[in-house]
Amino acid sequence: MKRISFITTLFLLVMILLNGKPIDCQAKDISWTVTQYGSDNDSAQSMFYTIKGSNGRLFIVDGGWAANEGRVRNVIKKNGNKVDGWIITHPHPDHVGAFNKIKSNPQGIKIEYVLAPKINAERYNTYKYYWDEYPVFTKFMSLVSNYPKLKWIKPGKTMKLYGLNMKFFNSYSNDINDTTKDICNGSSLVFKIYGKKTSMLFTGDIISPIGKRLIKEYGSELKATYLQAPHHGNNKGRKSFFTYIHPKVTFIDAQASLRNSNAAIQENINILKGLGSKLYSFDHRKSVIIH
């Protein structure tokens, strides 16, 4: 009887591990496909990526404007209407708009985890700019304030979620005023996802001084195979940051009309080309593999 009981217990334990999170979190040799979305027919810049694992897990980074809701829903629908982790780099309308629409009216979509910077509302309200569209932030906060699996990210945090390795370098912090009063952009999550051979650094919309500060604080930890260019490839003073990261491929999250008319983006494109970095933008959907 004792032997039968032991075998039964062992069988149940194996079944729990196979069907639960522990075995999934410990899975080895998972590769991740990072895909950029957007169209040169879009009227404005936006940011929307998926990170899809060979284990079937789906992460979303931002999602774009409220007007991009349909695009994001279609991608999630193809994944069985489930998002395992939704990473919001910062709550600006061209990054969190689609999330706000979907979270307000899921229509069957299930979102497991939400990861975001916890921005101080009072300070943000004090220093807000016209482009911030502050009500978008307050809407986001109301949607996630009591969310059971919300993770407020702090700088320096390392995380492994469903086999995805993540290291976070930037988020909201109490000393942000020492660097910038552009609170929302300055609080953008800067994080790296990485495997044994390749990695990708996401930078949200950080301004140039924050990029320089992060290099001083984290050094070579920031280096990555692939890079999402800060602030859609915009803002001057990026040369030292691009040179230090020296990515093999850089993603520019801007439509053709902006890439062709914005002097700062054109300058940064020339810098990156000079470094030998291949550029991906909204002209075609592009993907890279993290493994």
Side-chain angles (χ1 to χ4, degrees):
M1 289 295 291
K2 289 183 178 179
R3 180 176 178 79
I4 293 174
S5 177
F6 171 77
I7 292 173
T8 300
T9 302
L10 181 62
F11 174 78
L12 289 172
L13 178 60
V14 169
M15 291 303 292
I16 290 170
L17 288 174
L18 286 174
N19 292 289
K21 294 178 183 176
I23 193 71
D24 188 52
C25 291
Q26 299 300 319
K28 296 180 179 179
D29 299 324
I30 300 171
S31 61
W32 299 89
T33 301
V34 180
T35 304
Q36 177 198 47
Y37 296 81
S39 170
D40 271 348
N41 294 322
D42 289 349
S43 60
Q45 64 190 23
S46 64
M47 182 170 161
F48 171 28
Y49 290 82
T50 57
I51 307 171
K52 182 68 181 289
S54 57
N55 58 357
R57 300 293 185 173
L58 176 70
F59 289 78
I60 288 179
V61 182
D62 291 346
W65 300 88
N68 301 138
E69 173 192 1
R71 179 183 294 167
V72 181
R73 283 189 186 274
N74 287 338
V75 171
I76 299 172
K77 184 177 181 180
K78 292 178 182 178
N79 196 63
N81 264 358
K82 184 179 179 183
V83 180
D84 295 289
W86 201 316
I87 303 169
I88 301 297
T89 61
H90 63 298
H92 264 165
D94 56 330
H95 293 256
V96 78
F99 172 87
N100 282 358
K101 294 283 285 188
I102 291 171
K103 186 70 178 67
S104 298
N105 184 19
Q107 298 178 23
I109 289 176
K110 295 181 179 178
I111 304 170
E112 189 77 1
Y113 286 94
V114 175
L115 290 69
K118 190 175 184 180
I119 297 175
N120 181 287
E122 183 177 356
R123 181 179 290 182
Y124 184 18
N125 189 39
T126 299
Y127 295 109
K128 65 180 181 292
Y129 294 92
Y130 70 90
W131 64 74
D132 284 320
E133 296 189 34
Y134 188 77
V136 174
F137 163 72
T138 58
K139 177 68 173 178
F140 170 73
M141 293 297 287
S142 68
L143 288 169
V144 302
S145 59
N146 295 314
Y147 200 71
K149 291 189 175 180
L150 170 67
K151 291 185 177 293
W152 294 122
I153 301 300
K154 295 182 179 180
K157 184 176 182 61
T158 300
M159 183 185 302
K160 186 172 185 177
L161 191 59
Y162 297 122
L164 180 64
N165 296 307
M166 295 176 279
K167 168 79 176 188
F168 293 88
F169 303 101
N170 190 69
S171 182
Y172 177 83
S173 60
N174 290 331
D175 60 355
I176 190 171
N177 281 8
D178 295 340
T179 308
T180 180
K181 288 184 171 58
D182 188 354
I183 301 297
C184 195
N185 283 332
S187 299
S188 292
L189 295 183
V190 174
F191 66 100
K192 182 164 73 172
I193 62 171
Y194 55 93
K196 294 178 180 178
K197 298 180 180 179
T198 54
S199 58
M200 181 163 176
L201 184 69
F202 291 86
T203 61
D205 279 2
I206 59 167
I207 61 174
S208 299
I210 288 182
K212 293 175 182 177
R213 175 176 61 78
L214 292 177
I215 289 173
K216 290 181 180 179
E217 289 184 9
Y218 293 100
S220 61
E221 286 187 80
L222 288 169
K223 289 182 176 292
T225 319
Y226 310 113
L227 171 69
Q228 173 257 316
H231 205 277
H232 312 271
N234 209 333
N235 300 145
K236 295 189 176 183
R238 303 281 192 191
K239 186 173 182 178
S240 61
F241 184 79
F242 290 145
T243 302
Y244 189 82
I245 304 301
H246 210 111
K248 178 181 177 182
V249 173
T250 303
F251 289 86
I252 306 288
D253 299 299
Q255 74 282 14
S257 61
L258 188 61
R259 298 196 309 273
N260 294 333
S261 64
N262 186 284
I265 294 180
Q266 292 173 347
E267 177 182 305
N268 289 327
I269 285 175
N270 288 332
I271 291 170
L272 288 161
K273 284 182 177 179
L275 293 170
S277 184
K278 185 181 293 186
L279 301 181
Y280 289 168
S281 56
F282 284 177
D283 53 348
H284 296 95
R285 182 173 299 172
K286 299 291 187 179
S287 299
V288 294
I289 307 294
I290 308 298
H291 60 93

